[in-house]
Amino acid sequence: VLSSCCEACKKVIFHVPSELEADTLVGRVDLRECLPSAEIISSSDGNFKILEDGSVYTTSAVSLSAEKKTFTILLKDIQEHVQKKIHVSLVEEEKRTETHKTRHARDTVLKRTKRRWGPIPSVMIENSLGPFPLQIQQVQSDTAQNYTIYYSASGPGIDQDPKGLFYIERETGNIFATRAVDREQYPSFQIICFATTPDGYSPEVPLVHTIRIEDDNDNAPHFTQDLFEFCVPENSKPGVLVGKVTAEDRDEPNTLHTTLKYRIVSQNPPLPAVFSLHGDTGVISVSSPQLDRELVSRYTLLVEVRDMAGQPFGLCTTGTAVIKIEDTNDNAPSFKQIQYETRVEENRVNVEILRVSVVDLDEPGLPGSGAVYEIIRGNDDRSFEITTDRNTNEGILCVVKGLDYETAKQRNLVIAVRNEAPYVLAPHSQQLSQSTSSVIVHVLDVDEGPVFKPCHLRIDVKECEEIGTAIGRYVAEDPETGNSEGICYRIPPGQCNWISIDEKSGEVRTIKILDRDVGEMKQGQCNITVLAIDRNGKTGTGTIQVVIQPGNKNYPRIIKTDYIMCRDRKPICLTAQDADEAPYSTPFVYHITDRSLASSWKITRHNDNSVYLSPKGDIPFGIYTIPVSVTDNGGKVGETNIKVNYCDCVTPTECSKVRQLPSGNVTLGVWAILAMILGSLLLLLILITICGCCGSGVMHRHVTDDCANHNLIISNTEAPGEEVMDHNIIPLRNTCDQGGYGIKTGDQQTFEMVKGRGHTLESVKGGGHQTLGSVKEGGGQTMMDTCRYSYSEWHNFTHPRLGEKVHLCRQDEEQKHSEDYLLSYNYEGKGSLAGSVGCCSDQHEEEALD
């Protein structure tokens, strides 16, 4: 925020004509005197604009209607929060005071002129010798004919670095230089010239004047590198680019002072001249096809660069370029000898028998001189191998497979050599053939030991074979005689003790039962070294690899045998395991061995290891023991008893032991028997309470459709009864959506229950959901209210559930479960409008209550 008070620096008066055109200079105000750090300069009158140097111009035509016109120049320094203003007054020219008599009265209108006030840029020669001060230009204003004009200037070279280099005479406008200037340091100067009257009036716009320093060729060109290094392959054709040398000149660009020319001063070695240098670009190229690395591997060029387009009076500099000739494989290798001879004992393996060498003129250590040897004849059995010694470039001939004197006493080989890099034919030369050399190898006879054939024998043994079983024969031969006479066999100690070998016949037998599940035999194989010894004590070795083949020695077994199945009859997954390996394990075949259980249970395949066990249809709840046999892929059968607790539950955790069913070998528990007894007693009590007075005909009794809970009591009066707190009386929870009545017809007794929120008879009826069915006929008479069930069906439905609830009540000390079934009597009040609540009467008259 700027300071609240705005200080007025000063007041300025300009005498102008009464009519001012647009873009007319009114005058100049010294802004630095008021606020040197002003960042924002503005005018309170939009008809005037103020430049940074304080010049005031009109933005549009202005007419002084009054004798005087005023406006304010506002200066702001945002960083320092300072604000100042200058009051400007414009007065008509006729009202001027006597203090301005120095001006000429004939000047009535101020106009911007550029005749002598805008001279062309000045030029000063670089490194001028003077004499100093040296006049370089004069600026004058045409208004000097009417006014007294003073000249001044500012900018680089005057009041900015380099200070004092130029100055301007106040009265004449002559610009002088005080000393020499280096163009490379200061190529030009821009100064601002001012023309003012003694009272501060500026009849001219500030002039930006350029002083250009004219270049002098005072800098010699120089190369960008002290040493240029290039490479070019030998045998290169003329015109091939080698490299480029570059130079720079600090003098003024695009002049003769910086127009450079290159040339080769000398070449070492001088002959033959094989390179040329482009004078304008500095590009070096091959000029002769005589580049041969084997003759000259390096050239040194002395090059010169000169300015002034290479004229003799131009400045010059020299530099050095080194050109290395790269090797190409233009020289084929050749053997020093055309034939070699060597000796080797029979049966010697991996032994060096000969070294051969070659001559190659190409550069050592490069692919063009690296030798590659090969045996092109006489090595059909691959008994020999030749490699290259990288240090000496020699060929090393070795025996990699034992030679047999009895088979061949001498071997003749032919060896060829080539380079790692492909051969390049040099200009004006002929193609050379590949160099070869012959080698004669003499085989020396030695007394050899027995030799096993084959040297490595594999014997497969079935798992769990009896001890002493003959599993094979392993014999050796004497190479001298070609038979096995006089050779004895032994197994050195310290090896796996699985087999033995007969000392004379070489027969191999087992000395223990080979079982893959025991200790060291788990890997299933073992390599055993066998010695063969002839009469002279010479020995030979062979190897027997004993491999135990898997057998079918284990029975498949079902892992888990106890399961709980709830009323949803979700299939049980049976999984078997067999310790044997393929092909004596999976896939397994499952069977239920008990025929009676196989008729009510079924097995469904899941995968090679597992099956699903599930009942075929409806079966009673209980515990079933189901024998299941599992047959593996080898035919071995294992039987396992699966115990399934088929329980009336939702989740297995809710299940308790249930009564045994004869058909499934089910066992009864103590709590199941107790639940049956208590359930029978409770059922009898309910039936007596509900149907104690049923007549001979079919009678319909409906429970009052009252939503309140109440107890059934024996009473012949409608008066209020006593509250019954005894939990031995079983209450009937009657809601708005349930009720029931008993019917007796002859010897057949039925019981009907209206659909409600309690348990239903679907477990007895075999329905898929727990809801009551439609109306059922019983005793030859159709019932009009709800479903009718026989006594046996009702008994089968309520018996197990009542027993389960009584069992829970007995185990619950806090009697939380009894609160759901044993309810106290609620007082109905006097004067009930309902009829008798008894269920034993089939009449609606009141006298029947007696």
Side-chain angles (χ1 to χ4, degrees):
V1 179
L2 297 175
S3 57
S4 58
C5 58
C6 184
E7 180 182 355
C9 293
K10 59 182 179 178
K11 295 183 179 180
V12 178
I13 300 175
F14 290 116
H15 297 271
V16 296
S18 59
E19 299 292 335
L20 295 176
E21 297 179 359
D23 201 22
T24 300
L25 175 65
V26 177
R28 184 183 178 201
V29 181
D30 190 354
L31 303 179
R32 293 184 180 181
E33 181 182 354
C34 184
L35 185 60
S37 59
E39 298 177 358
I40 298 177
I41 304 172
S42 60
S43 172
S44 62
D45 192 337
N47 294 322
F48 301 93
K49 63 180 180 180
I50 293 89
L51 302 183
E52 293 183 357
D53 63 346
S55 300
V56 180
Y57 287 90
T58 58
T59 58
S60 60
V62 176
S63 176
L64 299 182
S65 57
E67 295 182 356
K68 185 177 182 182
K69 184 176 182 62
T70 60
F71 62 92
T72 303
I73 299 176
L74 189 62
L75 307 177
K76 296 181 182 179
D77 186 343
I78 299 176
Q79 294 182 355
E80 299 294 333
H81 305 291
V82 177
Q83 178 174 300
K84 293 187 178 182
K85 58 184 179 180
I86 300 174
H87 297 286
V88 179
S89 299
L90 302 182
V91 181
E92 285 190 54
E93 244 179 357
E94 290 77 10
K95 306 294 182 179
R96 289 181 297 177
T97 59
E98 295 298 327
T99 57
H100 299 92
K101 290 182 179 180
T102 56
R103 296 187 185 178
H104 298 279
R106 64 179 179 271
D107 188 10
T108 58
V109 178
L110 299 179
K111 293 185 180 179
R112 297 173 61 187
T113 58
K114 298 182 180 180
R115 189 170 44 160
R116 301 183 60 190
W117 182 236
I120 61 175
S122 305
V123 177
M124 178 181 178
I125 299 177
E126 179 186 15
N127 302 319
S128 174
L129 299 178
F132 298 101
L134 177 65
Q135 181 179 355
I136 58 176
Q137 186 59 276
Q138 181 184 24
V139 293
Q140 281 189 336
S141 174
D142 290 341
T143 59
Q145 301 175 5
N146 303 323
Y147 302 98
T148 299
I149 300 299
Y150 294 138
Y151 301 96
S152 62
S154 65
I158 298 179
D159 53 0
Q160 299 177 19
D161 291 332
K163 295 181 179 180
L165 181 59
F166 304 104
Y167 71 90
I168 187 171
E169 286 186 343
R170 184 183 183 194
E171 290 79 11
T172 64
N174 293 328
I175 301 175
F176 292 90
T178 61
R179 59 183 182 272
V181 183
D182 185 4
R183 190 207 66 83
E184 285 70 39
Q185 186 176 6
Y186 301 105
S188 65
F189 298 88
Q190 282 191 341
I191 62 175
I192 302 176
C193 300
F194 304 98
T196 59
T197 60
D199 60 352
Y201 173 70
S202 298
E204 299 284 0
V205 177
L207 172 66
V208 177
H209 183 66
T210 300
I211 303 175
R212 186 176 65 84
I213 308 301
E214 184 176 346
D215 183 48
D216 180 33
N217 190 21
D218 58 343
N219 291 283
H222 62 279
F223 285 101
T224 56
Q225 296 179 218
D226 296 334
L227 178 65
F228 294 92
E229 292 182 333
F230 308 106
C231 296
V232 62
E234 65 175 329
N235 301 317
S236 294
K237 296 180 180 181
V240 174
L241 178 65
V242 177
K244 181 179 180 180
V245 294
T246 56
E248 295 177 349
D249 196 322
R250 296 182 61 216
D251 290 326
E252 187 174 359
N254 303 320
T255 63
L256 279 176
H257 297 166
T258 55
T259 301
L260 307 180
K261 285 287 184 179
Y262 301 90
R263 71 183 184 93
I264 297 176
V265 179
S266 63
Q267 173 186 298
N268 186 28
L271 297 175
V274 292
F275 300 103
S276 62
L277 177 61
H278 193 282
D280 296 328
T281 62
V283 174
I284 302 175
S285 58
V286 177
S287 61
S288 173
Q290 302 179 12
L291 292 177
D292 189 350
R293 191 205 63 84
E294 287 72 34
L295 297 177
V296 180
S297 61
R298 181 188 299 265
Y299 290 89
T300 302
L301 302 181
L302 180 65
V303 295
E304 177 192 84
V305 58
R306 185 182 296 270
D307 60 13
M308 301 300 292
Q311 299 182 29
F313 53 83
L315 303 179
C316 66
T317 304
T318 59
T320 303
V322 176
I323 302 174
K324 180 181 178 182
I325 308 303
E326 294 180 339
D327 182 47
T328 59
N329 188 22
D330 57 346
N331 296 281
S334 61
F335 284 101
K336 291 182 178 180
Q337 298 178 220
I338 60 174
Q339 184 176 345
Y340 295 88
E341 193 171 348
T342 185
R343 301 173 183 271
V344 63
E345 295 180 351
E346 64 174 333
N347 299 322
R348 294 290 301 274
V349 180
N350 296 328
V351 58
E352 177 185 328
I353 62 173
L354 182 67
R355 279 182 175 253
V356 296
S357 57
V358 295
V359 177
D360 195 326
L361 299 178
D362 292 321
E363 186 174 358
L366 297 179
S369 63
V372 179
Y373 300 89
E374 58 180 339
I375 303 173
I376 61 175
R377 193 183 309 156
N379 191 33
D380 297 336
D381 58 352
R382 300 189 180 277
S383 298
F384 300 93
E385 184 181 85
I386 188 167
T387 58
T388 303
D389 187 337
R390 296 299 179 184
N391 296 324
T392 62
N393 210 30
E394 294 177 325
I396 305 173
L397 182 63
C398 299
V399 178
V400 295
K401 187 185 296 184
L403 302 178
D404 188 4
Y405 174 82
E406 288 72 24
T407 304
K409 298 179 179 57
Q410 178 178 300
R411 300 289 295 271
N412 296 320
L413 307 177
V414 177
I415 302 174
V417 65
R418 58 180 175 83
N419 289 127
E420 297 176 8
Y423 178 73
V424 178
L425 185 63
H428 311 293
S429 62
Q430 296 180 353
Q431 180 72 40
L432 299 178
S433 60
Q434 188 177 23
S435 177
T436 60
S437 179
S438 61
V439 179
I440 300 175
V441 181
H442 299 280
V443 182
L444 303 180
D445 186 24
V446 295
D447 186 10
E448 303 171 87
V451 177
F452 282 100
K453 293 183 179 180
C455 61
H456 186 277
L457 177 65
R458 169 174 172 154
I459 300 177
D460 294 333
V461 184
K462 290 185 178 181
E463 192 174 10
C464 299
E465 288 281 2
E466 295 182 0
I467 298 176
T469 301
I471 59 175
R473 191 167 179 266
Y474 196 33
V475 295
E477 295 180 355
D478 189 340
E480 308 296 332
T481 62
N483 56 54
S484 301
E485 294 180 3
I487 299 176
C488 60
Y489 306 95
R490 293 178 186 174
I491 297 178
Q495 305 181 75
C496 51
N497 190 21
W498 292 6
I499 61 173
S500 64
I501 188 169
D502 187 87
E503 185 175 353
K504 295 182 178 181
S505 65
E507 187 178 40
V508 181
R509 294 179 178 271
T510 60
I511 59 176
K512 60 172 60 176
I513 296 177
L514 303 183
D515 188 351
R516 295 169 62 91
D517 297 332
V518 177
E520 62 182 3
M521 303 180 189
K522 288 185 176 180
Q523 294 183 355
Q525 66 178 19
C526 181
N527 293 333
I528 302 170
T529 302
V530 181
L531 297 179
I533 307 171
D534 63 8
R535 294 185 182 94
N536 299 326
K538 295 288 186 179
T539 61
T541 60
T543 303
I544 298 177
Q545 182 183 26
V546 180
V547 180
I548 305 173
Q549 297 296 329
N552 193 15
K553 63 177 182 177
N554 297 293
Y555 294 93
R557 300 288 183 186
I558 297 178
I559 305 170
K560 183 180 178 182
T561 59
D562 292 339
Y563 296 91
I564 296 176
M565 178 182 289
C566 290
R567 67 169 67 101
D568 58 359
R569 298 189 296 182
K570 182 179 181 180
I572 297 170
C573 185
L574 304 180
T575 303
Q577 283 186 349
D578 194 333
D580 295 326
E581 296 181 1
Y584 302 111
S585 57
T586 57
F588 298 134
V589 178
Y590 293 77
H591 291 288
I592 299 176
T593 58
D594 191 319
R595 292 185 177 180
S596 62
L597 290 175
S599 62
S600 58
W601 294 83
K602 65 178 179 180
I603 287 178
T604 306
R605 175 181 172 82
H606 177 217
N607 53 35
D608 288 348
N609 291 2
S610 307
V611 294
Y612 288 118
L613 176 65
S614 60
K616 291 184 177 179
D618 296 335
I619 60 173
F621 295 111
I623 299 176
Y624 296 84
T625 302
I626 306 171
V628 178
S629 67
V630 185
T631 306
D632 62 17
N633 198 36
K636 215 153 196 177
V637 181
E639 186 170 317
T640 307
N641 288 329
I642 305 301
K643 187 177 181 181
V644 180
N645 184 357
Y646 182 32
C647 183
D648 184 14
C649 60
V650 177
T651 59
T653 56
E654 301 175 2
C655 184
S656 61
K657 294 183 179 180
V658 300
R659 55 190 176 89
Q660 180 178 1
L661 296 180
S663 61
N665 297 329
V666 184
T667 58
L668 282 176
V670 177
W671 289 107
I673 297 173
L674 180 59
M676 292 172 60
I677 296 173
L678 294 176
S680 300
L681 294 176
L682 289 172
L683 179 61
L684 181 59
L685 179 60
I686 292 173
L687 293 177
I688 292 173
T689 304
I690 298 175
C691 303
C693 300
C694 295
S696 60
V698 178
M699 297 171 291
H700 300 273
R701 296 292 183 264
H702 298 276
V703 180
T704 305
D705 198 13
D706 189 2
C707 293
N709 295 330
H710 63 278
N711 292 325
L712 301 180
I713 62 174
I714 300 174
S715 176
N716 289 332
T717 178
E718 294 297 327
E722 297 179 355
E723 292 187 358
V724 179
M725 301 302 294
D726 189 358
H727 291 289
N728 292 327
I729 298 178
I730 306 302
L732 176 61
R733 177 175 295 181
N734 186 22
T735 62
C736 293
D737 56 352
Q738 72 180 30
Y741 52 86
I743 304 170
K744 185 174 182 182
T745 305
D747 296 333
Q748 183 177 3
Q749 183 176 355
T750 63
F751 186 86
E752 297 186 4
M753 175 174 283
V754 181
K755 296 181 182 179
R757 290 188 297 266
H759 290 285
T760 67
L761 304 183
E762 290 305 317
S763 61
V764 178
K765 300 291 287 180
H769 304 280
Q770 292 190 3
T771 59
L772 290 176
S774 60
V775 178
K776 178 182 177 184
E777 295 182 0
Q781 186 175 356
T782 304
M783 308 311 299
M784 302 303 294
D785 189 8
T786 57
C787 297
R788 175 182 294 175
Y789 299 91
S790 65
Y791 173 77
S792 61
E793 293 174 343
W794 171 249
H795 178 272
N796 290 337
F797 168 72
T798 59
H799 191 277
R801 287 165 175 75
L802 290 175
E804 181 180 356
K805 301 306 180 182
V806 171
H807 169 68
L808 294 175
C809 291
R810 290 175 59 88
Q811 291 184 340
D812 188 4
E813 295 180 359
E814 298 179 3
Q815 297 184 354
K816 291 183 178 179
H817 293 279
S818 63
E819 295 176 0
D820 294 337
Y821 307 101
L822 305 179
L823 303 177
S824 61
Y825 172 80
N826 292 331
Y827 178 66
E828 296 181 351
K830 296 182 180 182
S832 174
L833 299 177
S836 174
V837 296
C839 66
C840 301
S841 176
D842 59 349
Q843 300 179 5
H844 298 283
E845 290 80 4
E846 294 182 356
E847 54 269 15
L849 296 176
D850 297 333

